[in-house]
Amino acid sequence: MTVKEIFETMDYGPAPESAAEALAWLVDQGDKFGHYIDGTFTKPGKGFDSRNPATGEVLAKLTQAKQGDVDAAVSAARKAQPNWEKLGGAGRARYLYAIARLLQKHSRLFAVLESLDNGKPIRESRDIDIPLAQRHFYYHAGMAQLMEIELPDAQALGVCGQIIPWNFPLLMLAWKIAPALAMGNTVVLKPAEYTSLTALLFADICSQAGLPKGVVNIVTGDGAVGEMIVNADVDKIAFTGSTVVGRRIREATAGSGKELTLELGGKSAYVVFDDADIDSAIEGLVDAIWFNQGQVCCAGSRLLVQEGIADRFHAKLRARMDTLRIGDPLDKCIDVGAVVDPVQLQTIKGMVESNTAGRVHQAACDLPANGCYYPPTLISGLETSDPLMQEEIFGPVLVSSTFRTPEEAVELANNTRYGLAATVWTENVNLALDIAPKLVAGVVWVNATNLFDAAAGFGGVRESGFGREGGWEGLAAYTKPKGKGKPLAKIEATMGEGAPVDPIDRTAKLYIGGKQARPDGGYSKPVWGKSGLLGHVGLGNRKDIRNAVEAAAGAKGWSKTTGHLRAQILYYIGENLSARADEFAARIDAMTGKKDGAKEVEASIQRLFAAAAWADKYDGQVHGVPIRGVAIAMKESVGVIGALCADEAPLLGLVSAMAPAIAMGNRTVLVASEPYPLAATDFYQILETSDVPAGVVNILTGSHAELAKPLASHLNVDAVWSFSSTDLSKEIEVVSAGNLKRTWVNNATAFDWGVDHSRRFLQAATEVKNIWVPYGE
Ligand code: NAI
């Protein structure tokens, strides 16, 4: 195109970015890469080609790691970890800061290499991926600096295995490595096989920064290498990628004691109300679904438009799509680049071709003759049940539907197995702030989309995974409480024979939906104390779990009550327990044969009062993100929490789990101490007189081993905790993979109930949702 033609048509001319420096860097490395282990690059071995998806050209040869490489990387990280941690926060901060500076210094090289390797427009890698990666290292340099002062009870986990996808190669690396290093961990990271080059350049940066050897190790290869890392001697796995693989990793790490965070797929709703600024909403949509060719886990891929404006909105959208420029990712004027690989291109094509519903519009653009290109596509007029409204396409394909009322918008938006992000467009601030908390998602953007920052946590709920990256909450994923736990000792029930202590037969029922309920199976078991038979309790089964979960799920209203009200009720429970303290203490002593019942009851009252105190104080935050606006980090209830309560502390264990859970608005299904269940069955009499609404607390008795599986596999349970003295960690975590519920299991370590762990419980009882609200003109 000549300058004259450009002037006459007002079209953008080509503005190519030079690839020379990035290609020269590849040549300098010999176009072949080994792994980065213990501070040096290993010799390149057998492997695979890394190609430029825009042209199909081979950029470099990468090495497929073998078991020995992964082992070497893990042992280098293990060896380096204690000294890295001992360096202290301020010492580590200097390295993180040095890395941030070097990333900045080489930002153009990184941006070009990223676009060559991944196919994303240079505009995006230059203005979003690389600056955000730098920001993560700066931000976490600060977190390292503050760790000892602000997180005095936290320590590093140890060695972290990190597996990342190909859509934001350097950015995902930064999200994983920066917080891990800041908190004193060392890492073994595997980039995705399509896009490993910026990770290898990053390794070079680590050497330039003088990072102690072994602190960062990078191994390349495909999913088989990922599996080796998952199974290696690491203390944590952090994974970002598909839900299918995330689920497999959950199963593989079950019961191992390895910490796990999963950032998985999404089908995020983009909700446009009829009073929205339509032009802005359309520009937002361009960002939501055509940013990075739609290969974004939180892509606004499901458009929901209010019916009254739907035709106008879709017409404008189609017109805007036709102006999108698609082509060479290194052209600075390009909006949409290449899809990452022919395999992904084929998946996108296959999914679109399999669809027969709705109206399909593809942008009127000339696709380059070669390379992995797919036109921006809109499929409108779909129903919720259409597969493309439910399945993640991970390509530049938007699907859309309409709604009439705000209630329907919420219902449709939440009609997905995912819960990563959502966007709301309306000029009505009341409506926006009413809808945002109702959307089941980890992130909500109001009148904006795809905003990210190191200061605001990112992550999902439901099958979008668990854990947050960024912000204070993201640090929890890379720390654990100080101190070493004692091994778990199995608590056996007292066995006995002879006449009951009390001649009247007392068989305590289960407590479900605010009512005493006979166990479905009709079985009960005796509870003995040293002095004789104390009574009987029902043996709950799978059906009882189902009934209890149903009751808990039905008590949704509890999550909407105020912290003030929940505090009142918790105080009331404490007061009523206090009135019967002697009776409870005697019961505990009778069951355990010890004399510390009174102490346990007193501690239980304290836990209830502590939870009451926290109910209206465990607040969220407003993050200082670099926009004109706010990112509100709201703490929300997790939903229905199932817990196997401690055996050794029959009242305190139950109360310590229940009180913070309900204080935060959760509903609970509690399985009582297995050997000493009568404290729990006495306790529901207290609940009955304390204004606790039906279904908020449900209490079952019976075998932990039998009840763990139905509880942990139930799809309406959102989190499951186990403090049982039977180590059921593995059984629970394997089946929790079904709906990827959060787990907190003891992994054969005893919990110290004498200490008030309220903060840990409060954290486990809440999800952080970040609501971004830009303001101003
Ligand atoms: P993937 O989940 O297979 O790959 C992500 C990473 O996990 C890569 O580094 C890969 O080598 C590794 N991996 C694969 N199998 C593994 C295993 N068994 N154990 C440990 N690590 C393993 O994603 P893939 O195949 O690249 O893309 C498939 C689909 O996944 C996409 O079409 C998209 O729907 C989704 N996806 C979602 C992402 C997100 O950010 N939520 C990112 C990438 C893909």
Side-chain angles (χ1 to χ4, degrees), residues 320-336:
R320 177 66 179 97
M321 285 169 71
D322 293 343
T323 67
L324 289 171
R325 295 173 304 270
I326 176 164
D328 179 7
L330 284 191
D331 185 335
K332 288 172 222 152
C333 296
I334 282 304
D335 296 310
V336 181

Side-chain angles (χ1 to χ4, degrees), residues 31 116 233 656 727:
D31 291 336
L116 282 173
D233 170 30
S656 298
D727 182 16

Side-chain angles (χ1 to χ4, degrees), residues 164-166 190 193 226-227 239 241-242 245 264 297 344 392 394:
I164 57 172
W166 40 259
K190 188 193 87 64
E193 50 273 42
E227 262 178 70
F239 173 78
S242 60
V245 173
L264 309 174
C297 49
Q344 186 65 11
E392 185 178 40
F394 227 65

Side-chain angles (χ1 to χ4, degrees), residues 37-101:
I37 298 174
D38 209 15
T40 47
F41 278 100
T42 62
K43 262 217 212 114
K46 255 193 163 164
F48 51 96
D49 293 337
S50 186
R51 289 174 186 274
N52 176 349
T55 60
E57 280 164 7
V58 175
L59 292 168
K61 290 199 177 303
L62 303 178
T63 304
Q64 169 80 7
K66 298 202 188 71
Q67 187 64 52
D69 301 314
V70 171
D71 292 346
V74 172
S75 70
R78 183 67 68 201
K79 207 165 125 218
Q81 198 273 329
N83 283 340
W84 178 245
E85 189 171 9
K86 271 189 228 134
L87 197 58
R92 294 193 300 273
R94 298 189 79 121
Y95 286 105
L96 289 165
Y97 173 70
I99 292 173
R101 296 282 298 190

